[in-house]
Amino acid sequence: ITQLKNKTFLLVDDDMDDTFVFGEVLKEVDPAIGFKTAGNGQEALEKLLADETPLPDVIFMDLNMPRMDGKQCLMELKNNERLRHIPVMMYTTSSRSADIEESMQLGAICFITKPADFKELKNILSIIADNTGNLPKALQLLSRQSTWILC
């Protein structure tokens, strides 16, 4: 019998309110999902490189953070042999096409503009949580039903 390992999501964001809301919504979606956080890109890389615990299944990355922003962190992740396979979704207040384009070129699989609506975030996280084994399917579903998401 294969043991299903619990999924883990990492949110890299310096906004404590957004981090709190994300965590609460994720708990509602599936309390079994592990939730890790980092306040900026540098902290995220330090945790990912030092941590002996399993790597996260998905990383949600804010763009604008102190010390190391989301694009720099994404670049570092994609240049690291051990971390490059982890899917990264940008999760930010920006909806600038330059940010979207650059993020996708750097290797993000998706660009999510933070929804103002709790229900919308719950829907996004539910679809991602239900499809971590098949993220392309999840992203297809999301981009069809949401104006917040570009994949």
Side-chain angles (χ1 to χ4, degrees), residues 98-113:
D99 286 336
I100 295 167
E101 226 168 273
E102 196 178 347
S103 299
M104 300 307 259
Q105 283 170 347
L106 291 172
I109 62 164
C110 195
F111 193 96
I112 302 170
T113 301

Side-chain angles (χ1 to χ4, degrees), residues 15 18 62-64 91-96 111-114:
D15 186 312
D18 287 351
D62 190 18
L63 273 182
N64 303 309
Y91 180 72
T92 178
T93 52
S94 170
S95 54
R96 289 181 48 234
F111 193 96
I112 302 170
T113 301
K114 290 178 181 176

Side-chain angles (χ1 to χ4, degrees), residues 5-12 22 26 33-38 43-61 73 77-78 82-89 128 132 135:
K5 88 169 189 73
N6 280 341
K7 298 172 203 128
T8 303
F9 288 1
L10 169 64
L11 174 64
V12 185
F22 191 101
L26 191 59
I33 294 175
F35 180 51
K36 294 182 176 185
T37 62
E43 186 187 328
L45 286 171
E46 286 166 9
K47 282 184 173 184
L48 290 166
L49 292 168
D51 221 344
E52 293 309 307
T53 59
L55 293 170
D57 296 280
V58 182
I59 297 173
F60 295 85
M61 178 86 64
C73 185
L77 286 167
K78 294 304 170 188
R82 183 168 166 251
L83 307 175
R84 71 166 48 124
H85 72 280
I86 306 169
V88 178
M89 300 186 187
I128 293 168
T132 48
L135 280 174

Side-chain angles (χ1 to χ4, degrees), residues 61-85:
M61 178 86 64
D62 190 18
L63 273 182
N64 303 309
M65 296 176 286
R67 289 176 70 201
M68 182 187 282
D69 70 22
K71 288 178 192 168
Q72 287 173 291
C73 185
L74 178 60
M75 234 176 345
E76 297 284 331
L77 286 167
K78 294 304 170 188
N79 286 327
N80 183 294
E81 193 64 45
R82 183 168 166 251
L83 307 175
R84 71 166 48 124
H85 72 280

